[in-house]
Amino acid sequence: MTDENGTAHRAPAPAAAEDARGGIPAHLLDLDGYARTLADVATTGRRLTRDELSRRRSLGEQAAEAGLRIRPLISAHLAATREHWPLATGSPDRVLAAVEQAVDAVAEGHERAQRIAVRQEAAARREFVDDLLYGRSDVGRLAARAERFGLRFSSAHAVAVAAGPTAYEEGDSVPRRVEQALIARFGDRTVLVTTKDGLLVCVAPGDQDDALTYFAKQAYAATGGSRVAVGRPQPGVGGVVHSYEEALNALDLAERLGLEGPVLRAADLLVFPVLTRDRQAMTELVHHTLGPLEQARGGARPLLDTLTVYFDAGCVTAEAARRLSLSVRALTYRLARIHQLTGADPADPVHRYTLQTAVIGARLLDWPHRPTAP
């Protein structure tokens, strides 16, 4: 058959042509325009014009926006090339060069649309995470957006946060590695892994504690030994914020109290918020109970450290002495000196509770580095 310019082409079989398009709508291929271009190139030997290249790029973008993959697009163009190969005189090299230009333009447009879509998706995800963890968006709208990221607030959720040696941003290698591990294990429709203020964050259904435990394991490995805190499961959109804040507070407590262990659970640390809820009362307890230690030679710090280690060792004198690199006799002397200055005997059960609570308060208030008011 020949076209309007008199150039001969192979006649395509209708069914074969439809199959070659792979189900791609005809308006996303414009094969008639493509055939005319090939015919003109074969006759004149020209390269594709700016408008022709722009047309192919635009079709590639539209195909990407329609959710079509690049391979069927390239296959459709190659199939159209076979069907409409000019049989008139002309150099095959010219036609092949034009095909290369056209296919390259389609791929460029497709890739550009995908990059834009990825940036838009990343921006939408970041906005959602910010709104979710700050609790500053309309609850109904936030819940609707959450389903897009695999969260359904009809059930309770818990949040885990991991603090590594450096701050992490969305797209960094460490967050990607942890997220890929979680997706491989639990799928991508129930667990959200992201970053916030330099921390790794994982939001999971409250009944999937194994997901949070696995997140802690992966975060620890990926960051070279991070500390992870897990908030308690809480219901609803506001529950995510509450659990997130619990996890952050647990990290802060671990830092101030020197708590050991790579994984901290807010449920195990509830006594500390209770102790610090009345800050004025805690300040008075520290000042009146431990304040006399400042009269000791060398200040309060050595004796305060002695009490801290003594209580951490379960009030076992020999173990506390070993941890402090002291003899048992030297440790006993220090405990006696504490009794003398404060009037509280660490060996007495009632006095011990008061002293231990005051020691915890001192660590929370950073005393005696930050003096307390009477």
Side-chain angles (χ1 to χ4, degrees):
M1 62 177 292
T2 60
D3 62 14
E4 58 187 9
N5 296 322
T7 303
H9 305 278
R10 292 188 178 90
E18 183 67 27
D19 291 341
R21 290 207 306 265
I24 301 174
H27 72 279
L28 294 180
L29 293 173
D30 186 21
L31 295 183
D32 290 339
Y34 180 65
R36 288 193 297 270
T37 297
L38 292 182
D40 194 38
V41 167
T43 302
T44 65
R46 68 174 177 82
R47 295 176 64 82
L48 269 61
T49 66
R50 181 178 299 177
D51 288 343
E52 288 169 338
L53 291 173
S54 177
R55 173 64 173 162
R56 291 296 129 188
R57 291 191 192 97
S58 177
L59 291 174
E61 290 180 1
Q62 294 175 43
E65 292 167 355
L68 299 175
R69 296 178 300 164
I70 187 63
R71 289 182 61 184
L73 289 175
I74 302 301
S75 296
H77 278 77
L78 295 179
T81 301
R82 290 194 301 272
E83 294 166 8
H84 299 284
W85 186 268
L87 299 179
T89 58
S91 170
D93 289 343
R94 297 171 181 174
V95 179
L96 290 175
V99 172
E100 183 180 3
Q101 280 187 285
V103 168
D104 186 65
V106 170
E108 181 183 348
H110 192 277
E111 291 171 357
R112 181 167 60 188
Q114 285 192 320
R115 286 195 300 269
I116 293 174
V118 167
R119 286 197 296 266
Q120 291 174 339
E121 178 70 14
R125 177 186 169 98
R126 173 47 53 196
E127 181 182 4
F128 168 73
V129 169
D130 288 344
D131 290 346
L132 175 66
L133 298 182
Y134 280 137
R136 63 187 180 190
S137 180
D138 174 76
V139 173
R141 182 169 173 267
L142 193 60
R145 292 160 62 197
E147 293 194 10
R148 175 180 175 184
F149 300 99
L151 302 180
R152 292 176 175 81
F153 294 125
S154 56
S155 60
H157 284 76
V159 181
V161 296
T166 61
Y168 301 106
E169 297 292 339
E170 200 83 18
D172 289 349
S173 60
V174 168
R176 285 203 312 270
R177 200 181 317 153
V178 174
E179 182 177 27
Q180 289 168 0
L182 267 291
I183 290 175
R185 180 75 174 267
F186 301 100
D188 60 352
R189 302 305 301 168
T190 59
V191 179
L192 174 66
V193 178
T194 184
T195 62
K196 183 65 179 170
D197 297 331
L199 302 174
L200 295 178
V201 179
C202 178
V203 183
D207 59 355
Q208 292 189 17
D209 186 68
D210 56 336
L212 297 174
T213 301
Y214 191 70
F215 166 79
K217 179 180 178 180
Q218 293 300 316
Y220 186 86
T223 60
S226 66
R227 174 171 280 168
V228 183
V230 183
R232 292 177 297 164
Q234 304 287 352
V237 176
V240 174
V241 180
H242 190 183
S243 183
Y244 173 64
E245 291 176 345
E246 282 189 339
L248 291 180
N249 290 335
L251 280 183
D252 181 61
L253 281 171
E255 181 69 22
R256 288 193 283 166
L257 296 177
L259 300 179
E260 298 180 353
V263 181
L264 304 164
R265 295 187 175 273
D268 299 332
L269 304 175
L270 291 177
V271 65
F272 297 108
V274 171
L275 292 176
T276 57
R277 190 159 296 161
D278 189 340
R279 187 180 181 88
Q280 182 59 36
M282 179 58 75
T283 299
E284 292 177 358
L285 175 65
V286 171
H287 176 76
H288 290 291
T289 303
L290 301 178
L293 297 181
E294 293 184 299
Q295 301 172 24
R297 184 168 52 186
R301 173 56 64 185
L303 295 180
L304 178 62
D305 290 344
T306 298
L307 282 174
T308 300
V309 174
Y310 178 69
F311 292 134
D312 288 346
C315 300
V316 177
T317 305
E319 175 60 20
R322 185 188 65 80
R323 295 185 186 185
L324 288 167
S325 299
L326 297 173
S327 66
V328 173
R329 180 177 180 180
L331 178 67
T332 302
Y333 171 79
R334 288 192 181 185
L335 295 177
R337 182 62 172 152
I338 291 169
H339 186 190
Q340 179 185 15
L341 290 171
T342 64
D345 183 2
D348 181 271
V350 176
H351 292 176
R352 182 189 307 157
Y353 177 78
T354 301
L355 282 170
Q356 189 165 10
T357 304
V359 167
I360 293 173
R363 294 163 76 177
L364 292 172
L365 298 174
D366 197 17
W367 182 89
H369 178 69
R370 293 182 181 178
T372 59

